[in-house]
Amino acid sequence: MHLVLISGLSGSGKSIALNVLEDGGYYCVDNLPSELLPQLIDSLSAQGYSKVGVAMDVRGGAGIRELPRLLDSLKAKVELRFLFLDAKDETLLKRFSETRRRHPLATESRTLVEAIREERELLEEIALLGHHIDTSDLKAATLRDWVRQFIAADASHGLTLLFQSFGFKHGIPLDADLVFDVRCLPNPHYDPDLRPLTGRDQPVIDYLEAQEDVGRMAADIFHFVSQWLPSYVRDSRSYLTVAVGCTGGQHRSVYLAEWLARQFRDGEDEGGNDGLRVLLRHRQLSDAAK
């Protein structure tokens, strides 16, 4: 059985992710108390279901804290994937305000801000169990695409190396494992002809590749990731997210994330990491990165 578990903060997009699984042919269950997970798996397995998606969060009660132990016991029975969705507090506050939905931990004596803080503390340990996606500032279509990438990845493939561009003016992504700041590089934004373009467009690529510092920065990041990647593999990591940030997340970070992903996809990493899977995402571009 292929089991995909989804958890995360209320308002972070779990319903969107579960709908993607359902569209992909998964038997989906929302808001399942964690203590019922083993019984559900046994029952669905007996009925012949091979693809199951389950959303679990604080709505299921305090038993969510037992999830790490339950997952260890299930690994012998199923091919397990875990997806944790997160978002910055200000994003969650805005979403609850716009939808006028009630937070599951909010009460007459507990404000929305306090409820979000308490939920984040309750899920702190669980957030470390699987692939982390920060949905702050993401369009629903982009989140759907990223979830499809996640479920399409072969869990037995080994470590997935994810390069992600972002803009510092939007904040550092919560899902980043390694963060590289490239704001010190020459900025195409100040050229009126290049300003509306992105780091994917040839005129911007030509501009940046003509800058010696850009080449040095790219090589330094490439060698750092290459050198330490085997250590993350030995740590049994399934995902490693490398975030590259410039001011707006449109030119320099996009170019460097594209360049780095291409180097590792071409198998040019110095460690000879067989079985490496490379993904690419751009947080601030309007279209979902492939």
Side-chain angles (χ1 to χ4, degrees), residues 8-265:
L9 278 292
S10 300
S12 62
K14 297 189 297 297
S15 296
I16 292 176
L18 201 64
N19 288 337
V20 172
L21 291 180
E22 192 166 34
D23 291 343
Y26 283 74
Y27 182 97
C28 293
V29 179
D30 189 18
N31 191 20
L32 181 75
S34 58
E35 59 269 20
L36 298 182
L37 182 59
Q39 296 95 305
L40 175 71
I41 297 306
D42 290 341
S43 176
L44 294 179
S45 180
Q47 297 178 57
Y49 288 97
S50 61
K51 298 167 64 177
V52 178
V54 179
M56 306 172 67
D57 51 46
V58 295
R59 293 173 297 169
I64 190 70
R65 294 180 181 271
E66 295 298 312
L67 189 57
R69 180 185 60 81
L70 289 173
L71 296 188
D72 286 338
S73 66
L74 287 174
K75 288 178 180 178
K77 297 182 178 181
V78 299
E79 179 184 302
L80 178 64
R81 311 290 300 285
F82 189 94
L83 178 63
F84 188 90
L85 301 183
D86 202 348
K88 298 180 177 67
D89 287 359
E90 55 267 30
T91 299
L92 296 175
L93 287 168
K94 181 180 179 182
R95 289 174 181 172
F96 275 101
S97 175
E98 290 175 346
T99 61
R100 298 186 179 181
R101 292 179 56 208
R102 178 182 176 277
H103 191 283
L105 296 182
T107 64
E108 292 183 359
S109 60
R110 185 186 293 125
T111 66
L112 177 57
V113 172
E114 293 170 336
I116 292 173
R117 185 183 304 120
E118 181 176 346
E119 183 179 30
R120 195 176 293 282
E121 292 174 355
L122 287 170
L123 298 177
E124 184 176 9
E125 183 179 358
I126 296 170
L128 303 175
L129 296 178
H131 181 42
H132 199 152
I133 294 181
D134 178 3
T135 69
S136 305
D137 306 315
L138 288 187
K139 294 182 179 180
T142 302
L143 177 57
R144 292 188 191 99
D145 187 69
W146 290 10
V147 174
R148 290 189 193 102
Q149 289 181 3
F150 171 75
I151 62 177
D154 184 352
S156 64
H157 199 281
L159 184 140
T160 295
L161 180 60
L162 170 60
F163 289 101
Q164 179 176 207
S165 70
F166 73 96
F168 273 95
K169 71 179 183 180
H170 301 283
I172 298 175
L174 299 174
D175 49 16
D177 297 306
L178 300 174
V179 178
F180 293 95
D181 182 353
V182 300
R183 288 175 292 182
C184 60
L185 300 177
N187 192 352
H189 173 80
Y190 296 110
D191 185 324
D193 294 330
L194 301 180
R195 185 174 302 166
L197 305 179
T198 77
R200 290 171 159 180
D201 295 314
Q202 196 59 48
V204 175
I205 294 172
D206 293 340
Y207 171 88
L208 291 173
E209 289 186 345
Q211 312 295 325
E212 182 180 352
D213 283 351
V214 173
R216 289 174 51 214
M217 177 71 80
D220 284 346
I221 297 175
F222 172 76
H223 289 303
F224 181 90
V225 175
S226 295
Q227 180 180 0
W228 287 101
L229 191 58
S231 297
Y232 288 101
V233 172
R234 288 194 298 270
D235 194 39
S236 299
R237 296 285 292 269
S238 298
Y239 276 80
L240 178 66
T241 299
V242 179
V244 182
C246 60
T247 304
Q250 181 177 337
H251 296 109
R252 295 164 292 180
S253 62
V254 170
Y255 166 78
L256 283 166
E258 294 266 346
W259 185 89
L260 289 163
R262 188 163 57 249
Q263 305 311 305
F264 283 92
R265 280 174 175 164

